[in-house]
Every structure is written in C-alpha cells, then in structure tokens.
Amino acid sequence: MPDSGYPWPIETTRLDNGLRVVVSEDRTAPAVAVNLWYDVGSRHEPAGQTGFAHLFEHLMFEGSVNVAKTEHMKLIQGSGGSLNATTNPDRTNYFETVPAEHLELALWLEADRMGGLVPALTQETLDNQRDVVKNERRQRYENVPYGDAWLRLLPLLYPPGHPYHHATIGSMADLNAADLATFQAFHRTYYAPDNAVLTVVGDTTATEVFALARRYFGAIPARGDIPAAPDGHTVTGTGRAGVETVTAEVPAARVYVAHRTHPFGSPGYDVATVAATVLGSGRGSRLYQRLADGERLAQPDLVGAYGVDLAHAPAPLIATATARPGVSAERLAAGVAEVVDELATVPVTSAELDRAKALLSTAWWRQMATVDGRADALGRYATQFGDPAKTADRLSGWLSVTAGQIAELAADVLTPADRVTLTYLPEETP
C-alpha cells in the first residue's frame, strides 16, 4: 500500500456540451459507482431563494420525462444497487453503485433527470416536496436537542450577505414564496452539463463510459452563462468574540467553540485538519484527556473537534463538549477555550502528531477502499480544483504537517478575539 498518491488509473474527457467525464477502472469486483457532482449548493442561492439546492436534492427523485415518480429509486434498487444524494454549501451530488452490467441504466437515469426534470415538474410535486423539507427541518434541526447548532453557528461565523451565512436547509419562507416558474428557472440555470462532473469508478473501461456518456448526455444543451457564486474568501474579522446562549429542551449544557481557518484544499486547511484531530479525535486527544478524563468536566462520549470542508471561504474548525452533571456551562466553555488556546503555547508532541496522521490516513484509505468513496473524491477534486488526480494531495498534505505549523495556525486564527462560542443551557424543570 503506498504512503500517498492515487494508485488507480484516471482518464478524463469533456463532451461538446461541457460535461466533464472522469473514469477510474478497477476490476477488483463486478460493480461500478456513478457519481454526478453539480457545482451548485447553498452558496450559489440568490437572496430570496435559500434552500433551493437542497429542495432539488428531493425533486430530482420525483420523476423526469421518461421516468415516473419514485421509479429512479425502484429501478436502481431492483437491479441490486444503492443510491442517494447530498447537498452542502458548495455542491449537490447524486450517486448510485450498481452491478457492472447495469452501468448503462444508471447513466441513462442520471441523464434523464439532468435534461428532463423541468418538463415533468408539476405544482403538486413541488408542494409535496416542500412539505417533505419542512418535516426534515423539524426532525433534524428543530425537534432534536442541539439540532439547530449549525443553523446558529453559520450566521455567527459569516456575516449577512456572505454565501455561507445560511445553511443548506434554507428558509421556509423562501421555499413557500417561490412559484413553480422560479424553481424551473433555478434548475435550468445550474443543473446543466457544463456545470457538472460525471465520475464512474469500477469494473468498466474509459472507452465504454465515454461512449455511453456521449449517447445519453451528449444531446443535452449546455447552459453557457452559469452565474458565478458570490466570492466568500474574504471575511473581515470584527475583533470581537461572537457569543450566543440558547436555553432549550436539552439534557445538559453544551458548548461549541468555533473559528474560521482556511479554505478546504489549501495547505492551511490541511494544518487545521491535523490540528482538529490532535484537539478532539478520540480518547487520545487533548480535549478528551483534559476535560473528560482529567478535570472530568465533559461527558466522555460527547467531546471532540472537527473541521468542516468548505472550499470557498475560511472553513470552520469546531470544538465541542457536553457538561457532566453539576458542571456549569461557564466552566465548561472556559475549559474548551483553554485547550484550544494551548495549541499555540504547548507544542504538539511527536506522539500526538503521529497519532493524528495515523487516524487521518486510516480515514482516507477507508474512503479509497470503496468504488463509491473514490468516485465521490474524484468528482470533488475535478469540480472544485479542476483535476481529479489532486485527490491524492489530501493525504500527502496531512502527512507533511509539522508541529510548528500547528502552533502558527493556532496563534494566527484560533484566537480569542475572533472566536465564536455557542452555548446551550437546559431549561429549568419545575
């Protein structure tokens, strides 16, 4: 097993309509993963249209010109495959893994909903999926303890008007206010071949995939004038810590401490990723050792730190801890802040660094071990950085991080003056 690099072949082409096609052949098992990345997420949404990209994640399963409602799912699952879709601030992707003999079916289905969703989109379907999204918001964000933390952290980290200011779930008011024609125009604008990357990994050849892509996607017209997302790379610090305290129906006090670092894909974010692993991944991390095992301020299974892979703005590093019974939120928040601050003053040891890199290497190879994991990674790097082979840069970037770089990062961007602290307090019981 190589220490870094992408050890599988990669072949690419671009159709006349702008669709980029990436193929990585792997004959290990008779399966193929199809992954379609659209360069549209919540950061692309104009004012008054928040939540549109996420709603289309649902609508794209509700039928197209040649595929009836829910038929896409039935056809893939009936062929022994699996499928799903996700949306985040940077992109939307649709993916399926099928036995190799059903590759053509998967490509035909993806092409049909790329080019044939708008004519099949009805008011009834739109209204139905709006209700589905409302229920999702209730179930995932509003009626779950601490569920709206991300919705609250984003406005604290990014000012009004910034493309990352709002979450992908969007505003229910915006979704309710838009008519069918507005949604149709949004789809025509962004779900076009020249705004997409099609990746296929597995038991096939580039020759076969390129031919099928031309057959099924080649006639879909390019959009040609896709609006660029607003630039979010510059976020002016206020010099004041952002603080929000929420009293809610939660079982215990919880604290989130967040900082803006560097965009995903940059050397600075590689350092932030290793720093977050040192800080909060597992029982050997600093947060666990200090707050859960040492001072016994935090519940052992509810302490950690992580980065959020946002590619077009300074991405967040978030540390979180949930209080043990009898521990005040103020003491817990101070404890988390102390551990974060010490990244700048207490050097990361070689053992800490080796452990963090081992954890990240394992995670990277675990993703690369599956055809669907590789397809997603290749699609990401082709979409966001123009080169699927840069997938290998992620691991090599982590492995090159030094303890000195972590200290520099902490002193530069993990400062108290530019910190966001979100605290949840449990409601008092009668």
Side-chain angles (χ1 to χ4, degrees):
M1 180 182 294
D3 292 333
S4 62
Y6 189 83
W8 295 276
I10 301 173
E11 297 188 58
T12 65
T13 193
R14 186 186 289 267
L15 305 190
D16 291 342
N17 59 9
L19 179 69
R20 288 167 288 174
V21 185
V22 179
V23 181
S24 183
E25 182 178 340
D26 180 358
R27 299 293 187 173
T28 304
V32 289
V34 174
N35 196 303
L36 194 60
W37 269 60
Y38 289 98
D39 192 7
V40 56
S42 56
R43 77 184 184 97
H44 297 81
E45 295 165 347
Q49 295 186 11
T50 64
F52 275 36
H54 173 252
L55 181 62
F56 270 103
E57 178 192 322
H58 292 262
L59 289 173
M60 296 277 269
F61 288 97
E62 292 301 301
S64 48
V65 170
N66 297 299
V67 181
K69 180 178 179 179
T70 73
E71 197 68 21
H72 186 125
M73 186 173 297
K74 291 178 182 177
L75 287 169
I76 292 295
Q77 292 177 337
S79 300
S82 60
L83 73 166
N84 212 331
T86 64
T87 310
N88 73 14
D90 290 336
R91 58 93 184 109
T92 306
N93 75 321
Y94 299 88
F95 48 93
E96 41 267 308
T97 301
V98 296
E101 64 265 28
H102 296 299
L103 170 62
E104 187 168 1
L105 170 66
L107 294 177
W108 173 73
L109 287 168
E110 289 294 355
D112 198 63
R113 65 178 171 186
M114 176 189 282
L117 182 135
V118 168
L121 183 58
T122 65
Q123 188 68 49
E124 179 184 2
T125 299
L126 175 59
D127 292 341
N128 174 269
Q129 292 307 305
R130 270 195 280 225
D131 289 339
V132 170
V133 171
K134 291 177 187 176
N135 286 331
E136 180 180 345
R137 185 183 178 98
R138 296 185 192 103
Q139 292 171 3
R140 292 183 56 191
Y141 299 96
E142 296 173 356
N143 297 336
V144 179
Y146 321 107
D148 61 351
W150 184 235
L151 306 186
R152 295 179 182 276
L153 284 169
L154 281 173
L156 292 170
L157 288 163
Y158 305 104
H162 190 278
Y164 290 158
H165 180 73
H166 69 277
T168 55
I169 195 70
S171 159
M172 294 303 101
D174 287 353
L175 292 177
N176 287 331
D179 58 15
L180 181 61
T182 304
F183 283 102
Q184 290 172 329
F186 188 88
H187 187 277
R188 291 191 186 99
T189 299
Y190 294 106
Y191 297 82
D194 46 334
N195 198 43
V197 172
L198 170 66
T199 304
V200 178
V201 175
D203 189 11
T204 185
T205 66
T207 300
E208 179 185 19
V209 175
F210 294 164
L212 291 172
R214 292 187 184 96
R215 179 185 304 171
Y216 294 116
F217 291 89
I220 302 173
R223 164 72 185 190
D225 56 348
I226 298 164
D231 180 30
H233 283 86
T234 301
V235 182
T236 303
T238 63
R240 301 186 309 275
V243 178
E244 181 177 353
T245 301
V246 181
T247 301
E249 191 176 342
V250 296
R254 177 176 290 182
V255 173
Y256 294 87
V257 171
H259 299 82
R260 294 181 299 271
T261 64
H262 299 279
F264 168 79
S266 67
Y269 189 71
D270 290 336
V271 178
T273 301
V274 179
T277 307
V278 169
L279 192 61
S281 289
R283 291 174 177 263
S285 67
R286 289 190 171 190
L287 283 169
Y288 188 97
Q289 292 289 312
R290 173 75 69 82
L291 302 183
D293 196 35
E295 298 181 30
R296 301 184 66 79
L297 301 177
Q299 297 184 37
D301 296 331
L302 298 173
V303 60
Y306 52 91
V308 183
D309 295 348
L310 304 181
H312 302 280
L317 188 158
I318 301 171
T320 182
T322 303
R324 288 178 183 264
V327 175
S328 71
E330 292 80 8
R331 180 66 190 97
L332 182 66
V336 174
E338 288 168 10
V339 179
V340 172
D341 290 341
E342 285 180 359
L343 281 177
T345 59
V346 179
V348 171
T349 66
S350 59
E352 286 180 307
L353 197 59
D354 289 345
R355 176 182 176 274
K357 291 179 179 181
L359 288 171
L360 291 167
S361 297
T362 298
W364 193 85
W365 282 110
R366 184 177 291 121
Q367 180 181 8
M368 293 300 106
T370 64
V371 290
D372 50 320
R374 269 178 272 149
D376 189 57
L378 293 173
R380 159 178 270 187
Y381 280 83
T383 302
Q384 296 183 333
F385 307 108
D387 182 1
K390 286 184 176 293
T391 299
D393 293 351
R394 192 172 196 187
L395 179 58
S396 60
W398 295 333
L399 295 178
S400 68
V401 170
T402 66
Q405 288 175 316
I406 293 176
E408 291 173 7
L409 173 100
D412 184 32
V413 299
L414 306 184
T415 60
D418 205 27
R419 176 171 294 158
V420 163
T421 304
L422 172 64
T423 303
Y424 283 85
L425 302 176
E427 296 175 343
E428 293 185 8
T429 55

